[in-house]
Amino acid sequence: MRSAGAYGLMGLVLAFLGLFFIYPIFEVIKDAFVDTSGAFSVAYFKEIFADPLYRAGLMNAFKLACASTLLTFLIATPMAWASSRYAFWGKSFFGLLILLPIMLPPFVGAIGVKHILGQYGALNSLLQSIGVLAEGHTIDWLGAQRFWGIVVLNALSLYPILYLNQLAAFSNIDTSLDDAAANLGCSGWQKFWRVHVPLARSGMFAGGTIVFIWTFTELGVPLIFDYRVVTPVQIFDGLKDMGSSPLPYALVTILFVITTLLYLLGKGTLGKARYAMMAKASSQVTETRLSKAAQALCVTGFSLVTALALLPHIGVIFIAFSSDWYGSIFPTGWTLQNFELALGHRLTLASIQNSLIYSLLAIALNVAIGLIVGFLVVRTRVPGRAFLDALTMLPLAVPGIVVAFGYLAMTQHGDFFSFLNPPDAPNPIVLLIIAYAVRKLPFVVRSVVAGLEQTSETYEEAAMSLGATRLRALLLVTFPLITASILAGALLAFSQSMLEVSDSLILASKQEHYPITKAIYDLLGFLGDGKFIASALGVWAMVLLALAIGGASVLLGRKLGAVFRI
């Protein structure tokens, strides 16, 4: 199908992405090369690389990303392999628990970790109670080791993304290749490294890329840990100077260039090869029933990782239910008042309403665009549809802080889009909705495309043979058939939008416009019960997102990992 309508729909989607994805990035890069007089200059890049503090920020960001990604692989790979190949006790139960860390961004989990690992936190109190530490003596776990605290928290929060990709990749490997390798004398670890890993390479790259870019540009966790010498935090601290100095633009540009180059390098070396398998019926993985000892080992490993991954969430829950938690293993006072305050506080109630409004409107926009893109990619032969599909997935590979900063750049006084966030009366509602929609569009597009690919076109042809137009056939026949896929993608996009960090912290400047994450960040700075209310707000968000993630998991099952592919 190459009708004028299809070309028109492609033009609309490309115009939207051009204006609100490509253009903001262009604005950041353009302003980075212009000095205060408007002349072309690279002086700010020279200043950044000449300043040891900025160089250290870039190096720390790179180290955080490398260490976090490596640790994530060490956690996720054996778990994905075991889940794809073996049957063991509680496998389905663990499959659901693995999704729980996605409910909260590492930014919120850092609150619980700080309280557990603080000098007068739960861990030191436990060590004192069992005699490892003398009474009154403490270890500042996060003082000199904030770097590794961030790494561990990142890995425990993001390993489900890599796990889902690798699970899908390992499950798709034709088992006849195992037999062929065994016949040639390849077995055990040798078979894993020489056969399975190369075949699953694209899935590993997809998940690993998201984890690396996410941790390289992570803003929330370093902020909570007060780890200031890292590029995303330096950019956040430079927001107040962006109107008078191009230095923040130069920092964002460097961040964008590094992530792009690393992505392209990985794509060319690791993610290029994709191997076709036999038909599904002949390549289905047969799960091997493990011995009782091996099953116990799997259960122990899954339980340990799950417990560690949920520890930050447990810490947040304990803080939310506590009236006092200082110098003890568990809170010494319990209360429900924090939850009442979280729903009645002028800042929190408005933030919940704002996040719901922003996220729901963003998802409505996502679904509309996702259905159009899915239709163009799967049901038409319009030239450029492969480019369109790739373009809609790029927001996963572009740091959120770059896009958010781009929106600020394109709405400065005198710019064409300044009406979207007037400098004299800042109101970022439209920008936040668009930012959420652009950043989470890949989840919906991937789900819609997967649904259409699995739905035969003959249903539409039958409806059209009975007199229905192509549009009517799509609306009344095809789209209802892929409702589960649409809903799954929308739920994932909604869950991610509700607790989006970079866009929320950077774009929302007034309390009446704060989404949940900006409200939590502000509450943590309040004396007294600020951290308790912030944690209660985080728990309310956890409950809401648990329902969303659980619904998406039930609807998509193992195909959930395909939503995180780029």
Side-chain angles (χ1 to χ4, degrees), residues 537-549:
L537 182 58
V539 172
W540 280 121
M542 286 170 61
V543 173
L544 181 63
L545 299 189
L547 298 175
I549 294 292

Side-chain angles (χ1 to χ4, degrees), residues 100 103-104 313 317 321 339 494 498-499 535-550:
L100 292 179
M103 290 191 309
L104 277 180
H313 303 70
I317 293 171
F321 278 101
F339 291 93
F494 173 77
M498 281 291 291
L499 288 174
S535 298
L537 182 58
V539 172
W540 280 121
M542 286 170 61
V543 173
L544 181 63
L545 299 189
L547 298 175
I549 294 292

Side-chain angles (χ1 to χ4, degrees), residues 331-524:
T332 53
W334 300 89
T335 182
L336 294 175
Q337 186 179 8
N338 298 324
F339 291 93
E340 296 177 11
L341 290 174
L343 293 181
H345 194 281
R346 57 180 175 80
L347 181 58
T348 58
L349 184 59
S351 71
I352 294 173
Q353 293 173 342
N354 289 339
S355 283
L356 284 171
I357 293 171
Y358 302 160
S359 300
L360 289 174
L361 290 176
I363 299 315
L365 183 59
N366 271 344
V367 170
I369 297 175
L371 290 174
I372 293 173
V373 173
F375 164 71
L376 292 173
V377 170
V378 181
R379 291 291 194 259
T380 74
R381 296 183 179 179
V382 177
R385 65 188 185 279
F387 168 77
L388 178 65
D389 187 30
L391 182 61
T392 57
M393 298 309 295
L394 272 183
L396 280 179
V398 175
I401 196 171
V402 173
V403 178
F405 208 86
Y407 287 142
L408 287 183
M410 65 187 270
T411 55
Q412 292 294 296
H413 181 69
D415 289 331
F416 177 77
F417 285 103
S418 60
F419 68 93
L420 292 177
N421 191 24
D424 53 338
N427 187 345
I429 293 177
V430 175
L431 285 181
L432 282 166
I433 293 170
I434 294 174
Y436 291 172
V438 170
R439 294 287 315 289
K440 312 309 172 188
L441 180 61
F443 299 139
V444 179
V445 169
R446 204 75 275 129
S447 294
V448 172
V449 168
L452 287 174
E453 286 177 341
Q454 295 168 2
T455 304
S456 175
E457 197 172 355
T458 56
Y459 295 111
E460 296 163 36
E461 295 171 349
M464 293 168 66
S465 69
L466 296 173
T469 63
R470 183 63 180 267
L471 178 61
R472 186 177 178 84
L474 285 169
L475 293 177
L476 298 182
V477 179
T478 304
F479 290 160
L481 290 174
I482 63 169
T483 299
S485 294
I486 297 171
L487 186 57
L491 285 172
L492 279 171
F494 173 77
S495 67
Q496 294 292 306
S497 297
M498 281 291 291
L499 288 174
E500 170 61 37
V501 176
S502 297
D503 297 319
S504 301
L505 294 185
I506 291 175
L507 295 177
S509 59
K510 288 188 174 182
Q511 285 191 1
E512 59 262 34
H513 304 136
Y514 280 6
I516 289 176
T517 45
K518 188 62 178 280
I520 290 175
Y521 178 68
D522 258 29
L523 284 167
L524 289 174

Side-chain angles (χ1 to χ4, degrees), residues 121-178:
L123 180 57
N124 280 330
S125 299
L126 174 63
L127 295 178
Q128 289 174 7
S129 67
I130 61 177
V132 176
L133 290 178
E135 191 70 28
H137 285 73
T138 61
I139 298 175
D140 189 2
W141 298 100
L142 297 177
Q145 302 298 328
R146 293 177 186 175
F147 176 91
W148 292 108
I150 295 171
V151 168
V152 172
L153 184 58
N154 283 337
L156 291 176
S157 299
L158 301 177
Y159 82 90
I161 294 175
L162 188 55
Y163 168 86
L164 289 169
N165 272 280
Q166 293 188 113
L167 177 62
F170 285 139
S171 298
N172 192 47
I173 295 176
D174 190 343
T175 51
S176 64
L177 297 177
D178 286 355

Side-chain angles (χ1 to χ4, degrees), residues 243-315:
S244 58
S245 171
L247 197 61
Y249 296 99
L251 269 176
V252 175
T253 300
I254 292 172
L255 206 66
F256 172 69
V257 170
I258 291 174
T259 55
T260 302
L261 289 177
L262 289 172
Y263 169 72
L264 293 175
L265 178 64
K267 189 74 171 174
T269 57
L270 299 175
K272 189 174 181 179
R274 293 181 184 269
Y275 302 98
M277 298 295 161
M278 298 293 289
K280 184 176 180 181
S282 63
S283 63
Q284 188 174 3
V285 174
T286 301
E287 295 179 345
T288 302
R289 191 72 182 178
L290 295 172
S291 65
K292 290 184 178 180
Q295 289 191 63
L297 182 62
C298 283
V299 170
T300 301
F302 273 74
S303 299
L304 180 61
V305 171
T306 303
L308 290 174
L310 295 181
L311 188 61
H313 303 70
I314 294 171

Side-chain angles (χ1 to χ4, degrees), residues 68-84:
S68 299
T69 305
L70 177 60
L71 183 56
T72 305
F73 267 104
L74 292 177
I75 294 172
T77 303
M79 296 177 71
W81 173 252
S83 293
S84 68

